[in-house]
Amino acid sequence: MSLLKETQKDSSIKNIDNNILAITESYLKEFVAPVASEIDQSSEALNEALQGLIKRSLLSIKVPKAWGGLEADTETFYHFQQLISQYSGALAFLQVQHQGAVASIVYSKNEALKEQYLSKIVEGKLLCGLGFSQLRRKGKPMITATPMNGGYEINGTVPWITGFGFFDAFLLGASLPDGQTIRAMVPFQNSHQDAGGEFLVSEPMKLGAMQSTNTVTGTFKNWFLPSDNVVSMAKEGAIHENDKKIVLFPSFLVLGCAKAGLDIVKKVAQTKQLDFIHEGFNHLNEELNYCQEKIQTAITINSRSFEDDLKLRVWAINLAQRCANAAVIVSSGAANYYNHAAQRVYKEALVFTVFGQTTDIMKATLEQMVYN
C-alpha cells in the first residue's frame, strides 16, 4: 500500500508569493529541521534559528515596501506561519510575537514612532514582543496607565511576555481610568528611572513546552511611559471584538503543528511497513488537506461569520492534537525520550491549543472533544 500523495498547493490562491515561501522552506529544511529538538530546549539554538530568518529578511514579511519590507499579502503571510510551525514550534511561537508587534506599529497613526522603529526592524537591528494578553482578563486591570504630564504612570504586572533576551522592546497593553486601553512600546529590560519608577523582569518560567522562548513576568512600579511611545488607543473591550475578527488566523500555526505530527507518522510508516500505519496516515492526511482547503478559502471571504471561523479553528486544534498523538503512538516507547520529535510535537500541540485562547475558543474546543 502506497502513501497518499500530498495535495499540491491550491492554484486558486493567486496572491501567494511562492518565492518567499520557497526561501522559507529551504531554510527550514536545511538549518532548522535537523536541530528542532535543540531549538525547543536551548535559547542559544533558538536565537541562531531566529537570526537565520532575519538574514533572509523574513521578519519584515509584513512591513510595507515603502519602509523596505517584503509587504507579503495575507495568504503568503499565513502560509509562512504554517511552514515555520511545521518545522519548529518554538521558532514559530517566538517570531509570531514579533510579527504581531510589527503589525501594530505598521497600522499605528504615530508616524514618529514608525520612523523610529520600522527601519530598524527591517535592518534586523530591533525585535519586538507582545505583552497585552492581560487585557483579555475581566475584573480589576492588571496593568494601569494613569495620565500625567507628558505621558502615563504605569503600575501592575504583565503575567506573560515571551522573548526575554531576544527582543529589544515589547508592546504593552494597559488600562486607562476611563476603561479605554493603550498599547505602547516599552524597552524589554530591567530598568530604574531617575524619578523612582522601575520595571523588573522575572526569571524565565519553567514551562512544559518551548522553554527556550524565555517567557517571563514583568512588573511595573510608578514607571513613566512617554506619550511618544503610544502605538494605539482603543475603547474598553476592543480586544474582545478584535479576538472575534482574527479567531481564524492562528489556525495556520495549528495546521503546521498537525503537519509536523504527520511528517513523523509518514516517516515511521516508511520504515515499519505496517498497513495500519499507512492507513492511519492516509486518513489523517486527507482530513488535514480538506481542513486546509476550507481555511484557505475562508480567509478570502470578507463576509464570513465568527461562528464559522470558530468551527474551523476548533477543527484545526482537534486535528493537531490527533496528529501529534498519532506521532506518539507510532513512535512507541521511543516517544518518551525528552528529545524525541514526537514528544516535541505533542507538547507543541498543547501550546497551540491554548495560543490566543478566549472563552469562546475554550468552550468550543471542550465541546468538540466531549460531544463529537
Side-chain angles (χ1 to χ4, degrees):
M1 182 182 300
S2 62
L3 292 172
L4 188 69
K5 292 183 179 180
E6 303 280 345
T7 296
Q8 294 181 346
K9 290 183 174 66
D10 186 352
S11 60
S12 67
I13 307 296
K14 301 184 184 302
N15 291 328
I16 288 180
D17 189 326
N18 288 310
N19 184 52
I20 290 177
L21 297 182
I23 291 171
T24 303
E25 187 165 21
S26 175
Y27 168 67
L28 293 170
K29 284 183 175 180
E30 184 174 356
F31 296 103
V32 173
V35 290
S37 292
E38 185 179 356
I39 289 171
D40 183 66
Q41 300 161 28
S42 164
S43 296
E44 290 76 15
L46 176 55
N47 185 57
E48 186 172 340
L50 188 68
Q51 293 302 315
L53 293 178
I54 293 172
K55 290 176 183 177
R56 291 160 180 81
S57 300
L58 294 172
L59 288 193
S60 61
I61 187 170
K62 287 293 286 182
V63 177
K65 290 181 179 179
W67 292 97
L70 298 179
E71 197 175 345
D73 60 274
T74 299
E75 289 89 348
T76 301
F77 177 69
Y78 288 116
H79 281 77
F80 167 79
Q81 295 295 334
Q82 180 174 321
L83 269 176
I84 298 180
S85 67
Q86 180 179 353
Y87 289 94
S88 170
L91 180 60
F93 187 72
L94 185 67
Q95 65 81 36
V96 80
Q97 309 292 313
H98 174 74
Q99 304 284 8
V102 170
S104 294
I105 296 171
V106 167
Y107 290 113
S108 175
K109 296 179 181 180
N110 186 339
E111 294 299 325
L113 185 138
K114 291 164 77 168
E115 288 276 359
Q116 178 183 355
Y117 280 90
L118 289 180
S119 59
K120 292 180 180 179
I121 287 170
V122 170
E123 293 170 3
K125 296 179 180 178
L126 189 143
L127 299 176
C128 309
L130 298 175
F132 61 76
S133 62
Q134 66 277 0
L135 295 179
R136 295 189 177 96
R137 303 192 183 193
K138 297 180 179 180
K140 184 179 179 181
M142 298 187 70
I143 292 287
T144 60
T146 304
M148 59 186 302
N149 186 32
Y152 304 86
E153 183 180 271
I154 307 296
N155 284 285
T157 298
V158 183
W160 186 280
I161 322 173
T162 292
F164 186 64
F166 296 98
F167 298 148
D168 306 286
F170 71 94
L171 186 67
L172 171 70
S175 299
L176 296 170
D178 63 0
Q180 293 187 88
T181 61
I182 59 170
R183 297 190 187 188
M185 297 309 299
V186 174
F188 199 2
Q189 60 187 17
N190 290 307
S191 63
H192 299 271
Q193 298 175 328
D194 293 340
E198 63 179 20
F199 172 61
L200 300 177
V201 176
S202 71
E203 291 295 319
M205 300 176 190
K206 297 294 183 182
L207 301 176
M210 304 183 189
Q211 175 68 32
S212 60
T213 58
N214 287 354
T215 298
V216 299
T217 295
T219 302
F220 291 90
K221 183 178 180 181
N222 303 326
W223 198 84
F224 177 69
L225 170 72
S227 296
D228 291 345
N229 285 24
V230 174
V231 175
S232 63
M233 182 176 292
K235 65 181 181 179
E236 184 176 6
I239 191 171
H240 303 297
E241 296 177 10
N242 189 61
D243 282 341
K244 288 191 174 184
K245 292 178 182 178
I246 65 170
V247 67
L248 181 60
F249 298 132
S251 300
F252 288 91
L253 290 169
V254 183
L255 289 174
C257 181
K259 284 181 175 290
L262 281 189
D263 285 344
I264 296 170
V265 176
K266 182 178 181 179
K267 185 176 181 180
V268 173
Q270 292 170 336
T271 56
K272 290 190 175 181
Q273 294 297 315
L274 297 171
D275 284 351
F276 64 83
I277 298 180
H278 289 261
E279 291 168 4
F281 171 84
N282 287 341
H283 179 83
L284 288 170
N285 190 57
E286 183 176 359
E287 182 181 351
L288 176 58
N289 288 331
Y290 186 50
C291 182
Q292 172 99 43
E293 180 183 344
K294 289 292 186 181
I295 292 174
Q296 282 183 179
T297 301
I299 65 171
T300 66
I301 301 172
N302 293 327
S303 60
R304 65 184 189 271
S305 70
F306 166 69
E307 289 73 20
D308 288 342
D309 281 3
L310 180 61
K311 288 178 182 177
L312 289 173
R313 171 79 172 272
V314 170
W315 182 13
I317 289 172
N318 179 266
L319 189 53
Q321 292 170 338
R322 288 187 286 128
C323 290
N325 203 20
V328 170
I329 291 168
V330 301
S331 299
S332 305
N336 204 34
Y337 287 117
Y338 79 98
N339 62 345
H340 194 280
Q343 176 151 156
R344 173 178 56 80
V345 174
Y346 189 77
K347 292 177 179 178
E348 290 172 355
L350 179 157
V351 174
F352 290 125
T353 293
V354 298
F355 175 72
Q357 187 187 65
T358 64
T359 303
D360 288 324
I361 296 172
M362 181 192 296
K363 180 175 182 289
T365 305
L366 187 60
E367 287 178 345
Q368 200 280 339
M369 179 180 294
V370 173
Y371 299 113
N372 293 341

